[in-house]
Amino acid sequence: RATMNEIQDESAVDPVILINSLSIDDANNGGTGKRRKSKSKVWEDFIPVSSGGKIQSAICKHCGKRLSGRSSGGTSHLGRHLKICPGRPGKTMEGQKNSSSQTNPSVMENWEFDQEKSVEDLTSLIISNLCPFSIVKSTSFMQFVASINPTFNMVSQATIEEKFIAIFYKEKLKLKEKVTNASGGVFLSVGIWGLVFSPTVRCFTVHFIDENWKMNRRIISYRCAGTENDEDHYYISMFPDWQSFCNLGDSDKTKLQIVKDWGIQQNLLGVTSQVPVDNGFISGIEASLSGSKYLLSKFKLLTVPCFVDALDRLFGFETKKIIQETSRSYFCYMTGSSVRKQKYNQIISSMHLKHPSFGSKQWYLTFYLLEVILKFCKAFPDIDITDPLRYNKPTYDQLEAAEAFCKIGRPIYHAIKVICSHHNASNTYFDPLWRLRIVLQESSNKPNIKEVHDVKNMNRDFKKHWDKWYLWLSVAVVLDPRHKIRFVELRFLQAFGTSAKMYISEVRGKICELFTSYSCHTRQKSILARTNSELPREVSDSYSLRDTNQNYNELSGQGKFKELNDYLGGELHLQNHGECFGETFAPANDAAFHGEQVYRQNDDFDILKWWKDNESTYPTLAAIARDVLAIPGSAVPSEAAFDDADERARLFETELSLQTAEALICTQSWIS
């Protein structure tokens, strides 16, 4: 076995990842460490991980990312990864600095300075990073700009603010038109945050899939909405623009006005909220619905609870005593000397989890530290010999408690990461939540688990949420061509046995119900398009409606579900490396110390592109997919998934007016 220093010198990869991969290779080859030699040169940059005598995955030596390594899939995807690998030599910051310093002569020859364009770029930079407009008055910033381009005339703060307002209205108009003319339905999510003195901040975000089959998640309103504590008014009155703050409020009328201002009520399909949605708000929207697009029934909205909020609450609000003691004692153990502190910082820098902040949720702070503890003990098992301390090493029971806590924390972390992603469609939600369900059930039988988690209540709460979630989660999976109904049936049969029939029937019934509803709408659009092009304009509208009803009556029962049957009965879509859902996940023992690497989905498959390419083959199902896959599972932005507050809300505590702060946050969302 090579020493830690030898491994680091040889591979330049995270030592813990390498140790795990070597351990798996050894275990599956009788401890010899031998494996069949890989012929492709690409393996020089990857560490093969074997199981059962066959290579199952490959770990990049440069960035630690795990990819499929099966022989059936070839190595072309490994080569593609190397081209964009951020950790590969030449892709480092130093490499970027050296390459950027080489100016292309042809660029300089054709370059012309444009003051107006530079001002627009500067304004966009300020918006994208939520910088204060006053940065243009900073002496150091002006010196920096002058050193890059002495011909640039620094503009005033007022000029930048004027440019910002112009960009805001321009981008708002573009987004409003895009939302109004969306090919499918639109969902609205409502997030809620608290600030220092407890005023409420509401974040309204629209979610839809556009005509090009691209996922859109854009903030349309981000505003203060009052405070429930009367004592806080004394402090908040010191904020700028206090009067307008008081007038905004959090009434149903205010929220309805936001929906109407953006014109989304006609295409609105559902609402996802961190808190129970107000009945007055929902009924007010439903009163203005057209009923031409729906998921539940005419004039009714789909109300979806925030999955992330529910997952956060599984941990409760109290950390068990043994976890508190483990955190304290192991922190002292890892930082008790300068040598240990250096190794501790080394572990921190190599963590693949999102780094916590002062505003992180309590459960996540605990989870992160315990993962650091486990990784530290794994990487430096002989630390007590090489750098002994005067006080005793923490107990084995404490280490077991840390592992038990993280055993549940890992799938929760992964589920939140997947659900909060801006780019993930709703078909990705089922699997991480299902795996969390399995881990919670298995943890119930672990000895002494009550000292670490209240697993009984966690299972009860999760089941309560699962009963509300599973139907739409399953429908989204059925619309994934890699899985369809077979994957859902297999999962339910494994979990529920003879009772699975009820769950499967529910899913099949919902699919048929949706197909029936959407097929009418799809066929009507087809007939309208044909009649509009074939008939005189003055008679086309009246004829099309009469003709539509007649056609539906004639076609009733004549191959009505052919499209659906062809899709469900067809072959599963396989990846280039021949992998299907549920098979692309790393073994738990290999990834136990890598947080989100416990479960790694294949990121190559683009379900929206698949439906775009197959829309003409399955027009009705494509219409359903455009709506269902856009269902948001979270009202929490990905940037604040593990925090108690969204950092952007801090803009309301600056000298900016409330309207300017809201406009800045919204515009950042639109141009990113």
Side-chain angles (χ1 to χ4, degrees):
R1 177 78 61 183
T3 65
M4 180 60 65
N5 290 332
E6 289 171 341
I7 290 173
Q8 288 177 323
D9 293 340
E10 179 183 342
S11 62
V13 71
D14 185 329
V16 180
I17 295 177
L18 187 53
I19 286 174
N20 284 345
S21 65
L22 290 175
S23 300
I24 292 175
D25 275 338
D26 291 354
N28 287 286
N29 291 280
T32 64
K34 296 180 180 179
R35 58 177 175 83
R36 181 176 64 83
K37 185 176 181 180
S38 303
K39 295 180 180 180
S40 176
K41 290 184 178 181
V42 76
W43 286 102
E44 295 175 1
D45 294 281
F46 288 88
I47 300 168
V49 179
S50 301
S51 178
K54 295 182 179 180
I55 296 176
Q56 299 294 326
S57 57
I59 300 176
C60 178
K61 289 183 178 181
H62 309 294
C63 67
K65 183 174 181 179
R66 179 184 298 277
L67 296 95
S68 170
R70 297 182 179 182
S71 58
S72 60
T75 59
S76 59
H77 62 293
L78 301 181
R80 290 194 297 271
H81 169 75
L82 290 177
K83 293 180 181 179
I84 60 173
C85 177
R88 192 182 182 194
K91 296 290 185 180
T92 60
M93 290 300 294
E94 187 65 28
Q96 292 175 3
K97 181 179 72 173
N98 293 335
S99 62
S100 62
S101 63
Q102 303 296 323
T103 306
N104 189 332
S106 62
V107 173
M108 291 301 299
E109 183 179 346
N110 300 319
W111 178 77
E112 290 185 11
F113 172 65
D114 188 333
Q115 172 75 16
E116 187 66 22
K117 178 67 165 56
S118 298
V119 173
E120 289 183 3
D121 291 342
L122 174 58
T123 307
S124 296
L125 180 146
I126 290 174
I127 295 170
S128 299
N129 296 278
L130 298 180
C131 298
F133 295 120
S134 58
I135 191 175
V136 296
K137 297 190 297 184
S138 167
T139 302
S140 57
F141 180 74
M142 288 189 286
Q143 290 174 344
F144 168 72
V145 173
S147 68
I148 296 176
N149 184 0
T151 62
F152 177 73
N153 295 320
M154 182 56 69
V155 294
S156 66
Q157 179 176 339
T159 301
I160 291 293
E161 290 178 354
E162 288 177 8
K163 281 287 182 185
F164 159 67
I165 294 299
I167 292 175
F168 167 73
Y169 282 112
K170 175 185 174 183
E171 294 298 326
K172 181 176 181 179
L173 186 62
K174 285 167 57 178
L175 179 60
K176 191 172 182 178
E177 184 178 355
K178 196 173 184 180
V179 171
T180 304
N181 299 325
S183 299
V186 176
F187 288 88
L188 181 71
S189 66
V190 184
I192 183 170
W193 304 100
L195 292 175
V196 174
F197 299 114
S198 301
T200 300
V201 176
R202 295 268 187 180
C203 176
F204 293 78
T205 307
V206 290
H207 310 255
F208 63 96
I209 297 172
D210 62 26
E211 60 182 6
N212 296 316
W213 286 89
K214 298 296 182 183
M215 184 69 73
N216 288 260
R217 304 190 190 280
R218 298 286 183 261
I219 297 174
I220 59 172
S221 180
Y222 198 108
R223 60 175 61 187
C224 287
T227 176
E228 297 178 358
N229 189 347
D230 293 335
E231 296 179 1
D232 291 339
H233 282 79
Y234 171 78
Y235 300 102
I236 298 175
S237 62
M238 296 185 291
F239 290 178
D241 208 7
W242 160 244
Q243 188 59 48
S244 106
F245 174 87
C246 294
N247 293 337
L248 286 175
D250 192 30
S251 65
D252 292 336
K253 183 179 179 181
T254 301
K255 288 180 283 188
L256 281 170
Q257 191 60 45
I258 294 172
V259 172
K260 292 179 179 179
D261 286 346
W262 280 85
I264 63 176
Q265 68 271 20
Q266 299 303 320
N267 289 340
L268 191 63
L269 296 178
V271 178
T272 297
S273 179
Q274 279 184 269
V275 294
V277 184
D278 302 322
N279 291 331
F281 174 49
I282 293 297
S283 60
I285 297 177
E286 290 176 343
S288 61
L289 293 179
S290 65
S292 60
K293 297 180 179 179
Y294 51 87
L295 286 177
L296 292 181
S297 60
K298 288 187 176 181
F299 313 116
K300 291 294 181 182
L301 290 173
L302 175 66
T303 55
V304 183
C306 177
F307 297 165
V308 173
D309 216 33
L311 294 176
D312 282 334
R313 295 176 186 276
L314 288 180
F315 282 100
F317 301 97
E318 180 182 355
T319 305
K320 298 288 186 176
K321 182 178 180 181
I322 190 172
I323 296 300
Q324 295 176 359
E325 293 174 349
T326 300
S327 301
R328 285 194 296 265
S329 60
Y330 262 103
F331 179 78
C332 295
Y333 175 75
M334 294 185 295
T335 60
S337 69
S338 58
V339 173
R340 289 173 180 251
K341 193 166 186 178
Q342 183 180 6
K343 294 184 181 297
Y344 168 76
N345 290 331
Q346 178 184 337
I347 295 296
I348 291 288
S349 63
S350 67
M351 292 293 288
H352 294 280
L353 302 170
K354 181 182 183 295
H355 199 282
S357 65
F358 286 111
S360 293
K361 298 179 186 296
Q362 182 60 46
W363 79 263
Y364 186 67
L365 288 170
T366 304
F367 167 65
Y368 188 91
L369 179 57
L370 295 179
E371 283 284 49
V372 170
I373 291 170
L374 294 172
K375 193 170 183 180
F376 185 94
C377 294
K378 182 76 171 181
F380 310 113
D382 301 325
I383 190 71
D384 291 323
I385 299 175
T386 59
D387 185 40
L389 293 177
R390 294 182 180 179
Y391 48 86
N392 294 329
K393 178 180 180 179
T395 66
Y396 179 75
D397 288 342
Q398 290 178 327
L399 192 63
E400 277 198 327
E403 176 57 40
F405 188 96
C406 293
K407 179 76 172 178
I408 295 178
R410 290 173 195 134
I412 290 180
Y413 172 84
H414 176 71
I416 290 175
K417 287 273 287 185
V418 169
I419 294 170
C420 278
S421 172
H422 290 296
H423 308 292
N424 284 346
S426 62
N427 66 301
T428 62
Y429 303 163
F430 183 100
D431 202 74
L433 291 171
W434 183 267
R435 289 174 181 273
L436 171 59
R437 177 183 177 277
I438 293 174
V439 169
L440 286 173
Q441 291 179 341
E442 291 176 346
S443 297
S444 300
N445 303 321
K446 299 291 183 181
N448 303 322
I449 189 64
K450 292 181 180 180
E451 297 180 8
V452 179
H453 285 300
D454 189 352
V455 178
K456 182 178 179 180
N457 284 335
M458 294 178 84
N459 272 296
R460 181 199 63 205
D461 292 343
F462 185 84
K463 183 181 183 304
K464 180 180 66 176
H465 293 304
W466 177 261
D467 290 341
K468 297 177 182 178
W469 298 341
Y470 87 90
L471 183 58
W472 289 104
L473 293 173
S474 302
V475 169
V477 172
V478 173
L479 293 169
D480 190 323
R482 299 169 297 172
H483 324 311
K484 303 183 181 178
I485 193 71
R486 304 172 217 180
F487 176 82
V488 175
E489 290 176 340
L490 176 63
R491 283 287 190 253
F492 288 168
L493 286 170
Q494 291 173 339
F496 306 118
T498 55
S499 302
K501 186 177 181 180
M502 177 188 70
Y503 293 94
I504 296 171
S505 296
E506 285 269 3
V507 176
R508 284 187 171 275
K510 177 56 68 174
I511 291 291
C512 291
E513 175 191 331
L514 289 172
F515 187 83
T516 301
S517 301
Y518 277 76
S519 62
C520 295
H521 180 65
T522 304
R523 193 176 299 278
Q524 183 181 26
K525 288 201 301 184
S526 176
I527 293 173
L528 284 172
R530 188 174 69 251
T531 54
N532 283 340
S533 62
E534 295 175 353
L535 298 176
R537 189 66 183 171
E538 59 269 22
V539 299
S540 63
D541 291 341
S542 59
Y543 175 84
S544 62
L545 293 177
R546 183 175 65 254
D547 185 57
T548 297
N549 293 330
Q550 182 179 347
N551 273 276
Y552 290 153
N553 292 331
E554 292 175 354
L555 293 172
S556 177
Q558 299 180 15
K560 182 178 180 181
F561 292 100
K562 183 179 184 305
E563 178 188 330
L564 178 60
N565 292 331
D566 287 347
Y567 171 77
L568 294 179
E571 293 294 325
L572 297 179
H573 173 77
L574 299 180
Q575 291 295 90
N576 293 332
H577 23 294
E579 293 182 350
C580 213
F581 205 23
E583 298 178 354
T584 58
F585 294 86
N589 62 336
D590 173 51
F593 295 90
H594 302 302
E596 78 274 21
Q597 293 187 15
V598 173
Y599 311 123
R600 185 177 292 282
Q601 275 186 287
N602 192 324
D603 297 329
D604 295 336
F605 181 68
D606 186 344
I607 189 172
L608 299 185
K609 183 180 183 303
W610 190 93
W611 277 108
K612 179 182 180 181
D613 295 341
N614 291 272
E615 185 173 11
S616 58
T617 306
Y618 307 111
T620 299
L621 288 171
I624 299 173
R626 193 190 292 272
D627 289 345
V628 172
L629 295 179
I631 296 176
S634 171
V636 179
S638 59
E639 299 84 358
F642 303 100
D643 298 332
D644 282 322
D646 186 350
E647 284 300 314
R648 291 173 295 192
R650 302 300 177 192
L651 283 177
F652 291 107
E653 298 175 344
T654 66
E655 295 180 358
L656 293 174
S657 70
L658 297 176
Q659 288 84 354
T660 301
E662 178 188 17
L664 190 57
I665 293 170
C666 289
T667 310
Q668 183 202 43
S669 169
W670 303 339
I671 69 175
S672 59

